[in-house]
Amino acid sequence: MSVSYSKLWKILIDKKMSKADLRKAAGLAPNTMTKLRRDEEVKLSILCRICAVLHVNFGDIIDFVSSDAEKEDRDIISEQSEA
């Protein structure tokens, strides 16, 4: 599984807030913003600060996305259980 922060970027647009504004308000390091832009994992404490600044919950800013390989594995298991 991988993470996606596309919901976060949509919230920023809705709130007319730039990524730089978020970085300053939440006290995030520039390399943390890079990780977020690349959909890489960040510490839970960082996500807490982002949620506090935006007044949202974790589910509002992050999604877990299955990789194609994981989807294929689930399909194979599903097919085997149906047989």
Side-chain angles (χ1 to χ4, degrees):
M1 285 218 151
S2 59
V3 295
S4 170
Y5 299 105
S6 59
K7 288 181 176 181
L8 171 60
W9 311 132
K10 289 177 186 173
I11 289 173
L12 291 181
I13 291 167
D14 292 343
K15 293 184 179 264
K16 296 182 169 92
M17 187 177 201
S18 71
K19 292 175 183 177
D21 293 337
L22 175 65
R23 188 178 70 77
K24 291 174 189 170
L28 305 176
N31 50 337
T32 299
M33 289 302 295
T34 300
K35 284 184 175 185
L36 291 169
R37 281 193 294 273
R38 293 180 180 170
D39 286 334
E40 295 177 2
E41 295 177 8
V42 297
K43 291 183 179 182
L44 189 59
S45 59
I46 291 170
L47 296 176
C48 287
R49 289 191 302 200
I50 292 170
C51 287
V53 166
L54 299 175
H55 306 289
V56 296
N57 291 313
F58 293 120
D60 297 327
I61 64 169
I62 189 171
D63 270 328
F64 289 98
V65 181
S66 296
S67 68
D68 290 337
E70 289 173 331
K71 289 179 186 175
E72 289 176 19
D73 289 346
R74 272 187 261 131
D75 290 344
I76 291 170
I77 292 170
S78 177
E79 289 171 4
Q80 290 174 348
S81 65
E82 290 174 1

